[in-house]
Amino acid sequence: MTQPNILIVMADQLAPHFTGAYGHPLVQTPAMDALAERGARFDAAYCNFPLCAPSRFSMLSGQLPSAIGAWDNASEFAASVPTLTHYLRLAGYRTTLSGKMHFIGPDQLHGFEQRLTTDIYPSGFDLTPDWDVDPETLGNWYSMASLSEAGQVITNYQYDYDEETGFAAVRHLYDLARSRDDERPFFVVASFTHPHDPYEARPQWWDLYDHDDIDLPDPIAEDEIDAHTRRLRRGIGADTDGFTEQQCRNARHGYYANTSYFDAWLGKLMQVLEETGRIDDTVVIAVADHGDMLGDRGTFFKMCFFERSARVPLIMAGPGVADRTVPDVCSLVDLLPTLLDIATDGCGALWPALSSQPAGRSLWALASGGSGENGEASGEALSEYTGAMTTQPMFMVRRGRLKYIACEGDPSLLYDVVADPLERTDLSADPAHAEVAAAFAAEAAQRWDSAALRERVLASQRARQVVNAAARAGEMSWWDYSPQRDAAGEFVRDGMDWTQTSRSSRIIAPG
């Protein structure tokens, strides 16, 4: 079989619960809906770290964050860590990134041959937490200001960024269709920053929704709130600043509007594949790095393992993908083996030589119509958290119906997320679940040495703080990526034959 092209369209902070494709009655996501209608929708996909940079590093490497030192949003992603992009290049793919990947450190490519835009957030150590001083704060990086400022804008830095990301990705897909010099299949990632807060939306998208129709989160009793959620609420200022029902509705309105905005870019990219005749030989994957609590449990943003923070949309369509919903539990580390199966016609024997065993499993059999183990829903998702808003490493295991959450010093949590999707009933102290809770606790202790991990996190934080302080003590040199562009070779410039340029740039419309 000819190797298919692969296009990943990635959102930032998009919980599947707030999309029409996953059943929300209000949020309009026609492109995601259409993708799901002709492909596979995974209904229990999770991130491996509910924060931007570590989640992306884990996804690209196919390893859990602790295995690669991805502790927080200012942890260096080492150039020596092989990524799915490196492996796809070895499998014969042309690799391009447009948009956000939140790379930290001098390597701003990690296997991508081309990067069409800069990033949107710092590439250095500015955002390093400090567990020695105050592990429960993020300064002003996350605060309830996102709610007080939620509303309509003509534009902001996020729209500026996504407009550039989308334009560059669209133009690149056209360039790939025009190219006669490179016949390799393509791997393109178009990664947008919406619907990440601030919850500010252009009128075009805001006006898609009637403000009075915006739904509000279900209330939760104070005595049902767990220890980590309380820390998270303190850290972002929800306990001290508070928020009103109107502010919550504004934030959700902006989030829904920006979800539709992201979806429109997905639709535009799909349109380009249609126009250029690539739709039938391209596997398209829509995904996100993590979700957003968006008011549930009285908190916002991410940094916890509850469903709206830890679950992600994962929709796949294209050659060989079946039209189905997949109940099996999976996570972002599964994408590396899945993409290698796509690149090698499902034949692991043809994979490039891997430096280490992937932490995940290939989802290709499920996507192409197969079933889980013994014909039943299978798989697991492991997630870690070692950033701000906690005092100790946190861990999650999702398997079958159950999700287990552990953190040193906190009571463990156990939920049946099928029967209790809002996670209001903690089963860890239920005598009927004592045996399974004990088994999860033993498994977590075997998988993770919490004390040793905490020392690794602290050592990394201390080292990065020294490097960051030294960088500011003299002449500063940033790692931020500056896109390379050959403007002299674009359009009709000196020394070019305009008729030849016109012909070579043209993509003839069908019919």
Side-chain angles (χ1 to χ4, degrees):
M1 176 179 124
T2 302
Q3 288 178 302
N5 303 306
I6 303 171
L7 171 64
I8 292 181
V9 185
M10 192 168 189
D12 194 342
Q13 206 161 298
L14 176 57
H17 311 79
F18 304 120
T19 68
Y22 280 86
H24 194 283
L26 185 63
V27 184
Q28 300 174 39
T29 53
M32 291 180 70
D33 298 352
L35 198 68
E37 287 169 3
R38 57 184 281 268
R41 189 191 73 190
F42 289 80
D43 286 355
Y46 289 82
C47 67
N48 303 104
F49 195 114
L51 195 65
C52 302
S55 177
R56 292 161 186 268
F57 301 171
S58 182
M59 178 189 76
L60 288 171
S61 67
Q63 302 294 332
L64 290 178
S66 60
I68 57 173
W71 309 120
D72 51 63
N73 263 353
S75 290
E76 181 178 358
F77 190 19
S80 58
V81 176
T83 66
L84 60 86
T85 318
H86 291 116
Y87 293 129
L88 287 175
R89 283 179 71 168
L90 291 173
Y93 278 74
R94 177 176 177 174
T95 59
T96 306
L97 169 63
S98 182
K100 176 181 176 177
M101 206 48 73
H102 210 152
F103 290 146
I104 306 296
D107 186 352
Q108 290 291 305
L109 292 174
H110 291 283
F112 286 102
E113 295 172 77
Q114 290 179 278
R115 190 166 183 185
L116 307 179
T117 70
T118 190
D119 220 312
I120 188 169
Y121 292 137
S123 60
F125 298 151
D126 282 3
L127 303 181
T128 304
D130 192 345
W131 284 9
D132 285 317
V133 176
D134 190 350
E136 296 184 22
T137 66
L138 267 175
N140 62 358
W141 189 248
Y142 279 103
S143 73
M144 300 307 287
S146 287
L147 271 76
S148 62
E149 297 170 0
Q152 298 187 62
V153 295
I154 298 303
T155 193
N156 59 18
Y157 74 93
Q158 297 211 146
Y159 274 108
D160 292 345
Y161 187 80
D162 277 354
E163 289 293 300
E164 181 177 344
T165 294
F167 171 82
V170 166
R171 182 173 176 178
H172 185 66
L173 289 178
Y174 283 135
D175 287 343
L176 290 171
R178 284 189 284 245
S179 174
R180 298 294 182 267
D181 300 327
D182 193 336
E183 296 300 322
R184 291 177 296 169
F186 65 73
F187 172 61
V188 173
V189 177
S191 183
F192 298 86
T193 194
H194 282 97
H196 192 293
D197 60 284
Y199 308 114
E200 302 169 353
R202 287 181 176 172
Q204 174 188 358
W205 306 102
W206 182 275
D207 291 344
L208 286 177
Y209 300 95
D210 186 320
H211 191 66
D212 293 336
D213 289 341
I214 301 298
D215 55 314
L216 294 171
D218 291 337
I220 183 171
E222 281 294 318
D223 59 1
E224 294 180 13
I225 299 175
D226 65 286
H228 182 67
T229 301
R230 291 187 186 280
R231 284 197 300 274
L232 185 58
R233 288 169 57 165
R234 286 197 302 271
I236 65 175
D239 278 1
T240 54
D241 298 346
F243 60 91
T244 65
E245 179 178 298
Q246 184 61 31
Q247 286 175 325
C248 186
R249 181 172 275 113
N250 284 344
R252 285 192 163 211
H253 193 157
Y255 185 93
Y256 294 175
N258 288 332
T259 296
S260 294
Y261 170 73
F262 161 77
D263 184 79
W265 274 116
L266 171 62
K268 176 60 178 176
L269 293 166
M270 296 297 294
Q271 177 187 338
V272 175
L273 293 179
E274 287 270 13
E275 292 172 345
T276 57
R278 298 290 182 87
I279 193 70
D280 293 329
D281 60 10
T282 302
V283 174
V284 179
I285 300 172
V287 71
D289 53 357
H290 51 75
D292 189 322
M293 292 298 287
L294 215 58
D296 189 36
R297 309 180 82 85
T299 192
F300 286 79
F301 318 126
K302 52 268 186 170
M303 299 172 282
C304 63
F305 296 131
F306 296 106
E307 289 290 276
R308 281 157 181 75
S309 167
R311 259 191 63 196
V312 296
L314 178 58
I315 305 173
M316 186 183 309
V321 181
D323 178 3
R324 65 182 314 211
T325 57
V326 181
D328 301 61
V329 179
C330 61
S331 70
L332 292 179
V333 293
D334 296 329
L335 279 180
L336 186 148
T338 302
L339 293 181
L340 290 182
D341 268 355
I342 291 171
T344 59
D345 198 16
C347 183
L350 298 179
W351 286 9
L354 303 184
S355 66
S356 58
Q357 183 67 24
R361 59 165 181 160
S362 174
L363 304 176
W364 183 240
L366 294 169
S368 56
S371 60
E373 299 166 9
N374 303 316
E376 299 178 356
S378 62
E380 67 177 13
L382 305 176
S383 195
E384 305 170 341
Y385 186 77
T386 52
M389 309 290 184
T390 184
T391 57
Q392 297 281 348
M394 296 179 59
F395 312 106
M396 181 201 86
V397 180
R398 164 74 202 271
R399 186 180 299 115
R401 305 171 61 96
L402 298 176
K403 179 199 289 184
Y404 178 80
I405 300 171
C407 179
E408 186 71 26
D410 288 348
S412 60
L413 301 170
L414 181 67
Y415 297 100
D416 180 340
V417 295
V418 176
D420 177 26
L422 290 178
E423 298 164 294
R424 297 298 195 253
T425 304
D426 175 19
L427 303 174
S428 60
D430 180 358
H433 290 83
E435 185 175 342
V436 69
F440 270 121
E443 177 184 346
Q446 188 275 327
R447 285 186 181 273
W448 294 287
D449 183 336
S450 182
L453 279 176
R454 188 173 193 275
E455 289 306 310
R456 290 174 62 196
V457 171
L458 283 165
S460 173
Q461 290 178 358
R462 293 162 184 161
R464 285 180 280 146
Q465 286 157 9
V466 170
V467 173
N468 197 44
R472 296 176 178 279
E475 185 175 343
M476 299 166 68
S477 178
W478 303 113
W479 294 322
D480 295 324
Y481 183 75
S482 294
Q484 298 178 356
R485 178 176 176 182
D486 179 18
E490 297 177 357
F491 309 114
V492 183
R493 312 308 298 275
D494 290 338
M496 292 184 182
D497 183 330
W498 75 269
T499 56
Q500 183 178 1
T501 300
S502 178
R503 293 188 187 106
S504 64
S505 67
R506 185 182 300 127
I507 300 175
I508 303 297

